[in-house]
């Protein structure tokens, strides 16, 4: 079977978005996304149920089927077969009680009690499918939700096929879901980062880490987008989904429920813990050691209760400052890696050079322990919720040669770190948002941004790779060189300057590039402020 398309373009998403936007006049984006995504989920499970029900009805009348029942006895037998829950769950189809079926809701779409009917449908589905208990929103009867517009949305969604086998094979709902998550993240601005990591960033992390098998873990999983793309990667490379086990945790209760819905519609069985919980104060997977860790943790959070965790076993390289959790995330991730696993995660650029609160000493110890594998500086404006320059970190506990079944061995790269400067890459999708090319390709080629970065990492890391430094883009640096740079890990320090042709660069892109560079330099300058202030104080005291 050919891999499902991972591209989001179906042609009708914007029409659906406009329909969903009916509700925004009464609800803010943080609330109405749960209304819209909840309805999409309901439509999906109902479609899948109806298709299975139609298959059973046809089988009962088919003399070649094991379900065949002679016509004289068929009417009585048919109802028993159609209402047999096992016939649905055996095919991985959610059982949908009568009051939760879409046709029932559509028939009552413009009744005043439609909100209550949808809430009751959600409860009925949870009761019938214990694995969904507590995951579905029950917010449709709220007075703030305009019931006439809710009815219009139900009718509009009725025209959309989501849950049939054909739609599941092409992942229609998954692509609609991702489109909506991205639009909601854009609409929510800063708050959208809690549940959504831009597709470009997710695809790049997955393509670099290649999560073919083993345990995959995200300690701050948001809506589960990293898991979704990990399994899409496996299918695109003819792998087996059952070779991967998924583990995650999320502290925000509504986002935790969103992740459960997002993964359920794709048939992904994930271990997200029995509740939402803070990763630092209540680690739901304390004994987990994962082969692959992917994460987009919240940057620079100050209220993480670090003062209560000073002696935590996870701080192998030193207790992180109580005012910033960046190095707590890094060490938590390392703690949960297997001896030969690899982690990739997003982090603010300031973490590459900061010395505040002992972070510089922690970073130095990490380099000396040889756990830093690769750093990728990303272009600006990839994220909806922040303009802070960001990088990808890749960590591992094992850099010696490693044989892998069915895949190239990893070469011995002890004492080396690969630096990639991708700040010049990307294409402006809108006036304020950039994407990396290749994000919609099942297998991004080397002519794309994502393909080129991932291929560079693999060429450097694999024993059969053909890696070479490229001025201005990538550099494999030894520990001595990193020490000469005082353990600052900013890729720009190592890759040097390339001769870049600016001719032909559109004015708009040039302006956005320059704005990004200035922002990055300002951020680095802010990181240096405490050090400069300290030096000035010492000079005054001298």
């Amino acid at each position: 079977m050919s891999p499902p398309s991972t591209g989001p373009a179906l042609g009708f998403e914007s029409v659906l978005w406009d329909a969903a936007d009916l509700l925004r006049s009464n609800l803010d984006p943080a609330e109405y996304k749960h209304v819209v995504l909840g309805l999409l989920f309901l439509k999906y499970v109902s479609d899948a149920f109806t298709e299975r029900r139609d298959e059973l009805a046809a089988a009962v009348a088919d003399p070649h089927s094991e379900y065949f029942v002679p016509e004289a006895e068929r009417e009585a037998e048919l109802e028993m077969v159609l209402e047999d829950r096992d016939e649905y769950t055996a095919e991985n189809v959610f059982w949908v009680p009568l009051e939760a079926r879409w046709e029932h809701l559509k028939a009552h779409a413009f009744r005043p009690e439609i909100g209550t009917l949808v809430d009751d449908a959600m409860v009925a589905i949870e009761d019938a499918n214990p694995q969904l208990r507590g995951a579905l929103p029950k917010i449709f009867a709220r007075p703030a939700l305009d019931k006439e517009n809710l009815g219009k949305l139900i009718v509009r969604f009725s025209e959309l096929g989501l849950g049939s086998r054909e739609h599941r094979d092409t992942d229609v709902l998954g692509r609609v879901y991702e489109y909506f998550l991205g639009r909601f993240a854009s609409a929510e601005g800063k708050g959208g980062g809690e549940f959504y990591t831009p597709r470009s960033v997710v695809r790049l992390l997955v393509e670099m880490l290649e999560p073919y098998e083993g345990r995959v873990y995200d300690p701050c999983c948001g809506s589960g987008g990293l898991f979704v793309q990990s399994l899409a990667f496996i299918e695109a490379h003819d792998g087996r989904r059952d070779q991967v086990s998924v583990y995650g945790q999320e502290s925000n209760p509504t986002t935790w429920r969103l992740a459960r819905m997002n993964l359920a519609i794709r048939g992904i069985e994930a271990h997200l813990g029995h509740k939402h919980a803070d990763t630092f104060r209540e680690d739901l997977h304390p004994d987990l050691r994962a082969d692959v860790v992917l994460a987009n943790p919240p940057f620079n959070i100050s209220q993480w209760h670090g003062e209560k965790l000073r002696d935590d076993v996870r701080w192998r390289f030193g207790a992180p400052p109580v005012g910033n959790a960046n190095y707590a995330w890094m060490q938590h991730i390392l703690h949960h890696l297997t001896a030969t696993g690899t982690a990739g995660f997003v982090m603010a650029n300031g973490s590459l050079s900061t010395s505040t609160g002992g972070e510089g000493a922690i970073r130095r110890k990490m380099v000396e322990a040889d756990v830093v594998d690769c750093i990728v500086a990303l272009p600006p404006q990839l994220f909806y919720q922040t303009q802070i320059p960001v990088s990808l970190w890749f960590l591992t506990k094992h850099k010696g040669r490693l044989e892998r079944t069915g895949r190239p061995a990893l070469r011995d790269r002890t004492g080396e770190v690969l630096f990639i400067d991708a700040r010049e890459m990307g294409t402006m999708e809108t006036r304020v948002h950039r994407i990396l090319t290749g994000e919609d390709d099942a297998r991004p080629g080397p002519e794309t941004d994502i393909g080129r970065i991932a291929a560079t990492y693999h060429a450097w890391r694999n024993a059969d790779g053909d890696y070479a430094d490229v001025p201005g883009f990538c550099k494999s640096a030894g520990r001595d060189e990193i020490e000469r740079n005082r353990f600052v890990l900013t890729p720009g320090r190592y890759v040097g300057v390339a001769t870049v042709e600016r001719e032909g660069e559109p004015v708009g892109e040039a302006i956005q590039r320059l704005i990004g560079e200035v922002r990055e330099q300002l951020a680095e300058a802010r990181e240096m402020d405490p050090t400069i202030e300290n030096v000035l104080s010492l000079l005054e005291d001298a």
Side-chain angles (χ1 to χ4, degrees), residues 12-35:
F12 53 76
E13 301 96 326
S14 60
V15 176
L16 283 179
W17 175 261
D18 291 342
D21 220 28
L22 288 169
L23 302 173
R24 190 155 59 165
S25 58
N26 299 94
L27 297 172
D28 69 46
E31 293 180 292
Y32 87 106
K33 73 168 178 286
H34 297 292
V35 172

Side-chain angles (χ1 to χ4, degrees), residues 37-45 94 132 136 177 261 264-265:
L37 295 176
L39 277 183
L40 282 172
F41 181 85
L42 203 54
K43 180 67 167 58
Y44 166 82
V45 297
F94 290 111
L132 292 175
L136 306 185
Y177 231 69
M261 281 197 295
I265 60 174

Side-chain angles (χ1 to χ4, degrees), residues 455-476:
T456 299
Y457 180 51
H458 298 155
W460 174 79
R461 190 173 72 152
N462 291 353
D464 62 355
D466 184 21
Y467 172 82
D469 292 340
V470 177
F473 177 63
C474 62
K475 170 71 183 293
S476 180

Side-chain angles (χ1 to χ4, degrees), residues 67-87:
Y67 290 91
F68 177 69
V69 178
E71 188 169 358
E73 308 166 22
R74 192 173 302 159
E75 184 174 350
E77 188 73 19
L78 180 62
E79 192 62 19
M80 289 180 57
V81 173
L82 296 184
E83 295 302 317
D84 184 348
R85 183 176 308 196
D86 292 342
E87 295 292 350

Side-chain angles (χ1 to χ4, degrees), residues 99-118:
E99 65 270 31
R101 294 172 194 172
W102 193 260
E103 288 306 312
H104 173 74
L105 297 175
K106 181 183 174 185
H108 297 83
F110 294 107
R111 296 185 62 162
E113 67 272 25
I114 182 60
T116 301
L117 292 176
V118 177

Side-chain angles (χ1 to χ4, degrees), residues 111-179:
R111 296 185 62 162
E113 67 272 25
I114 182 60
T116 301
L117 292 176
V118 177
D119 282 344
D120 291 345
M122 296 292 185
V123 172
I125 289 179
E126 286 188 356
D127 287 345
N129 303 277
Q131 69 271 39
L132 292 175
R133 190 152 294 157
L136 306 185
K138 277 80 74 176
I139 54 177
F140 296 85
R142 295 173 56 184
L145 183 60
D146 186 292
K147 302 304 181 293
E148 182 178 348
N149 284 334
L150 176 60
K152 290 179 180 177
L153 193 58
I154 289 173
V155 172
R156 189 71 184 85
F157 280 7
S158 299
E159 302 165 6
L160 178 67
L162 291 177
S164 71
R165 200 176 308 279
E166 177 187 355
H167 294 124
R168 293 200 296 274
D169 286 346
T170 51
D171 194 25
V172 170
L173 180 61
R175 293 152 73 186
V176 170
Y177 231 69
E178 182 171 354
Y179 176 84

